[in-house]
Amino acid sequence: DGFFISNIVGKTAFASVNLIIPFLQILGGVGAMLGVGGSALVAKTLGEGDAHRAGRYFTMMMYLLLGSSLVFTGLGIAVLRPVAYLFGATDAMIGDVMTYGTICLLFNTALHAQYTFQSYLITAEKPRLALWVVVAAGVANMILDYVFMALIPMGVAGAALATGLSECIGGLIPLFWFLSKKNKSALRFTKTNFEIKPMLLACGNGASEMLSSVSGSITGILYNLQLMKYAGEDGVAAYGVVMYAAFIFLGIFNGYSQGSSPIVSYHYGAQNRREMKN
């Protein structure tokens, strides 16, 4: 999005998107919490040999995902404008901030699903599918950015729409796989009642992942506030370029931690202590 916005729409739009992205990441952190914490609980339960209970926990987490994402979608849209001004948006930027932020928030459930299913596909022993899903989503985002901004001059709205549609790919393909007959894993949707205790355990375990996202976003917000004060839109745009490069390297560590977590959780539940330490 940043590449196409900066080269096609301009510096002000690029700064506007970078200004509101930390807020969107804070809301997206809930999906990371549900994915990491929930998959750890489910993997541990599978390791204990109780596939039925693991399926119930998995189904509960999906209900929690749907409910929480809808709540945060409504809340995010409601407070988007005052939050944008609080973060330092100018009158020249607010239009692009509102356009990009509102469209992205409309796809918030898909974003949460993409975050969450990445962890569950690993738990279901389908890490390659998880990889190809996220690659497909990323490539779709790039192609749609070109279509909606270079071919169809939709501006910032095109970038947000491309992002949202790519998140649908990342969220819906795993959902359909878990519902399909191709899913031969022990992790399946099943009838269940909602239990508070395991959900709190899962959220408590995944809270560190959410707080990592939130703390990084708050840091970005504070940077942007100072940059708007001393360097204006140029400063925010420059910071955005640096952070895009940093995300590449951060992704390596995030991928390693998310990929290894379900494996460790499974062996913890199975009491395979030697393999868990290994």
Side-chain angles (χ1 to χ4, degrees):
D1 287 359
F3 174 84
F4 282 97
I5 290 171
S6 60
N7 283 277
I8 295 175
V9 187
K11 176 187 66 180
T12 299
F14 182 60
S16 301
V17 169
N18 283 297
L19 191 79
I20 203 60
I21 277 179
F23 177 63
L24 301 178
Q25 288 176 330
I26 288 174
L27 299 182
V30 177
M33 174 187 71
L34 297 177
V36 173
S39 65
L41 175 64
V42 170
K44 173 179 174 290
T45 307
L46 285 173
E48 293 169 348
D50 195 339
H52 178 69
R53 186 156 55 94
R56 288 178 49 238
Y57 288 163
F58 170 61
T59 306
M60 288 181 209
M61 294 304 298
M62 293 303 103
Y63 285 139
L64 187 60
L65 163 71
L66 179 62
S68 63
S69 64
L70 291 175
V71 168
F72 281 104
T73 295
L75 179 63
I77 292 174
V79 303
L80 184 60
R81 182 177 292 273
V83 164
Y85 280 122
L86 181 66
F87 289 1
T90 63
D91 290 337
M93 299 167 67
I94 193 66
D96 287 331
V97 169
M98 290 299 299
T99 298
Y100 188 85
T102 301
I103 294 174
C104 284
L105 284 169
L106 290 174
F107 291 95
N108 193 43
T109 299
L111 174 63
H112 282 210
Q114 179 174 331
Y115 275 145
T116 302
F117 279 127
Q118 282 294 303
S119 297
Y120 283 115
L121 284 172
I122 298 168
T123 306
E125 299 183 78
K126 288 292 180 180
R128 289 187 181 181
L129 178 59
L131 171 63
W132 286 116
V133 166
V134 78
V135 168
V139 170
N141 197 350
M142 298 175 201
I143 294 172
L144 291 174
D145 271 333
Y146 176 76
V147 172
F148 292 152
M149 300 184 73
L151 300 182
I152 306 173
M154 294 177 63
V156 167
L161 183 60
T163 295
L165 292 176
S166 71
E167 290 165 355
C168 288
I169 293 174
L172 289 177
I173 291 178
L175 174 62
F176 290 146
W177 182 84
F178 277 111
L179 291 170
S180 73
K181 294 180 180 179
K182 292 183 178 180
N183 178 14
K184 305 299 182 183
S185 72
L187 204 56
R188 309 182 68 86
F189 289 104
T190 185
K191 292 182 179 180
T192 183
N193 295 321
F194 197 82
E195 299 177 30
I196 296 296
K197 186 177 180 179
M199 296 301 96
L200 290 177
L201 285 172
C203 291
N205 191 20
S208 58
E209 187 73 19
M210 182 183 71
L211 289 175
S212 294
S213 176
V214 169
S215 62
S217 299
I218 291 174
T219 302
I221 291 166
L222 295 175
Y223 268 117
N224 285 334
L225 283 170
Q226 294 303 309
L227 288 166
M228 282 299 297
K229 181 178 179 181
Y230 293 107
E233 296 169 7
D234 287 339
V236 175
Y239 176 66
V241 172
V242 173
M243 289 309 297
Y244 286 172
F247 285 149
I248 295 172
F249 298 97
L250 290 173
I252 296 171
F253 297 103
N254 287 336
Y256 177 77
S257 63
Q258 290 186 26
S260 60
S261 174
I263 300 171
V264 175
S265 300
Y266 178 87
H267 288 294
Y268 177 74
Q271 296 297 300
N272 297 332
R273 296 193 178 276
R274 178 176 295 181
E275 186 62 23
M276 181 178 68
K277 292 177 181 178
N278 183 51

